[in-house]
Amino acid sequence: MLWESYGYPSSDKAAPTLDSSRHGMMLKTRVGNSTERVTANGVPVLAHGFSCEAGNAFLIDGVLTIPPTILGILHEKSSGSTYDSREYGFIEKLLDAAGWHDVIDVAKGGSEAAGMHTLWAFSNSAFSAGFSFAERAYLLHGPTFAADDQSLLDEAISDTQTVAARYISAGPVSIARLGEGEHKVAGFRNHADRVLVVESGSGESGGLASTIDGQRIGYADTVAENGIVHGVEQVHKPEGLIFTPRKMLVGLNATMFIRLLKDTGHSEYIDGSRPASKLTILAPTNRAMEDAFGYDLGDGDDDDDESARALLGAGISRLSAYFDNLDRSSFIDALRTFQIATSPRERQRDWARYHIIDGQYQVDDLAKDPLLRTMLAPESTGGKPQVVKAHVDQAHGALSKHISFNSADNILPEPVTVDNTTIYLLSSPMPTPPSLVNALISNLDLSLFVAAMGASNIVEQVQQEAGVTVLAPVADSFTSLGLVWSYLSLSGDAAARGDLGRLIKAHILERPVYSDEIPLHTDDSADTLVVETLNGNKVGLYRTRGGIYAVVEQDELPGPEDESGLRGHSKPSQMVSSSGSNNLRISEPDILLRTGVAHILEDGIILPSNVEITPSKLLQGMKAHIFEDLLERLNLTYVLKDPRADKDISRQYDEGEEDPVERAVGYSLLVPSDKAWRENAAYRELVRRDHDEARIFDEDDDGSNPWRNSTTTDIMRYLDMLVRLHIIPIFDDSPQLAEAGRQLPAKRLRLVDYKTYPTLLENVNLKAHEFASNRFSVQLDDMPFYQSPGRTPFISYAMVLRSGIARTGAVFELDAALRLPPDNNKGPGGWKQFAWSAAVWLTGIGMGSGLLGVSGYWVRQWWTRSDYESL
């Protein structure tokens, strides 16, 4: 039984009169089950039953001590230095968050410290069972986290008090004194009344079992200085308390994100006003937002622009190594024009929508569908939603699974779910996707692609295309084109720039295509998604279990006329790869862009049909001016054209010679560099004569050139044979390749190890040798490096430095010119040369004979004198 004492123990509290409401300190008396011994607050009662005018008197065996406060009772029942480590720490923290800490602690004073209260105390485990992690965080910390936003603060305090009021009653409520039955307990501070049900049972209160609003009471009637404590084993949520995504974000300390949504007009996503919409919220913490933007949202916009400009400048410095005439300032301005076209507030609005995902995604969903469509669907993507990339990894520290979004880590052990909304808490904000150039320029493998865009003056056009997919080749794919790339990267050549621009546009699809939109090839389906490019050619995309592939679709694009007057309408676009495959694998999909998405091509490049690569263009790329000049001088320019366009130019023999059975369908050229030609004595002499005896090669020509006394006809005949030695006709009688303008298969044009090739020099063949991977040399067929012993050494050998594939043949750059076979390599001719040679021989014979005669005379004199004796 609980009794109420007369008066208050504290000296600063006035004792009530007999007629006043009794709210004194409680005394608890108990009768032992076996001994029937009576105790009062644990002190034995020696004698009782003494009646007097004022009541009854009891004789006790000791002095009654003042019990601890309610807070002291809670601390006695648990241990730990922090509220979350103490068994009843959560209810202590809840009352503190509600502003009612004076209910349990009289030491700090307060409006409630002077009164008596009943605390229905729940343990931490009971509170955790009744509320989720985010709900607990909101109730216990919400008022603190929302201190800077009055509306959020008022809401948090109201919800916290709604929960706390269910576990406080004004005045002491003793279950033992009330006895069995259903009792109404007045609510605290105008909150709803409570229903206490007391039944007979095995509880502490005299064998009574009790519930308060259906929540079981474990222990009852623990007397405190300022009231009574009952232990509650269960915690139920108040019916009127509704948790919304906004409240959960407050509990997760993401109030700056809430403020951003409010300021940009997107509060409906988190205030519970869209219960039917399934959403996923990616919310950075306040600390992350402050680190990224400053406390006032929008701070640092100018700094961000300057940082972006510095980044672009550093990247473009690398690009200048590929293109000498790249204008840095105009390039940067073109890149930034689209980047800063929006105001800071518009960028904040876009940033906010980018952190809201259309659809509800749990962890398992992210593993299956990592590409998440956001609520940001700007004009820059053609109205298509921007995407966030999720990554789910194995267990990571305290997290059951490591989850990141665009490299921003989720820091929650489990996502928070409120009805149809799931919330992830990020360690850093996710910037909206960057522009095409900003996204690619930091990747060294893609820097050449970016440089090509800048050099072809299409950066601004590509940056402002609304909704694109970029198939970005790596730098090796460009350089592996060899002489084709040398031509495309020519400085100041308008035709090369035009071809380069068309090639780049052939890699940009007209709409965004993410990897999860590409059809999967199965046994039952081989569908391919075909999309047109900005260049007009079409590219197909498909997936297999081994990866994602791009394939060129057949097209007929009008192109510029070539040297034969033909257009490339019958030549389809093609893939150029080191493997020779027409299907290029995508090594890294889904690089997010402001205007769409980019995929990196692993090995290869798209060569559209309207980029006409001819032998003449390859010679330009090689800067083989001398070889072109010789073809012109020797009337061999037909090897630069398509021989199928005019059958007359397919003849590779002189008039009067028998026509071959097969007709040439193209020509491959072995082209020595200009430096190699300048080392050729016959060519030097020809140039000397062209320039009226001018000493063009002063440093090399000392007047001993063996061709000095030869006729120009002899020099031209020699050079004609030498040039023909470097031209390989390509024969094929298949009907498909006989059509004019048809692209010759690349595999027919590449050199093959130990394969013999005919030349335009009659009865002279060449043989290729692969001395390293894709490294070739060529030499005369059946001609060893050195002749048999005793004869003059002879070498005719050259290494291939670079190569390029044209429509009608290939061009191979050699480090040196091949030598004519010994039968053809007779050097300079003419009667002057013959006379000079004869004079040299006669002079040599005469001098030899004279020397032999003198030597004989000396020997004879010595021999004769050896028989005489001295006198």
Side-chain angles (χ1 to χ4, degrees), residues 646-667:
D646 186 350
K647 293 301 181 183
D648 290 337
I649 66 173
S650 66
R651 292 173 46 82
Q652 69 276 7
Y653 293 102
D654 292 335
E655 290 294 337
E657 297 176 352
E658 183 179 355
D659 286 345
V661 176
E662 295 178 307
R663 296 277 186 172
V665 296
Y667 299 93

Side-chain angles (χ1 to χ4, degrees), residues 326 452-461 497:
L326 195 62
M453 282 196 298
S456 55
N457 299 322
I458 63 171
V459 172
E460 186 172 357
Q461 176 189 354
R497 286 294 180 267

Side-chain angles (χ1 to χ4, degrees), residues 2 28 73 76-77 204 219-224 227-231:
L2 259 67
K28 186 174 184 179
I73 297 294
E76 285 182 356
K77 290 182 176 292
E204 285 189 26
Y219 62 88
D221 292 340
T222 300
V223 175
I228 297 176
V229 178
H230 306 287

Side-chain angles (χ1 to χ4, degrees), residues 363 366 390-393 399 401-405 408-410 415 424:
V363 176
L366 297 178
H391 179 74
V392 180
D393 208 345
L399 305 180
K401 288 185 178 178
H402 179 223
I403 307 169
S404 62
F405 301 90
D409 293 329
N410 166 62
Y424 295 87

Side-chain angles (χ1 to χ4, degrees), residues 39-50:
T39 60
N41 279 9
V43 178
V45 177
L46 301 179
H48 55 85
F50 302 102

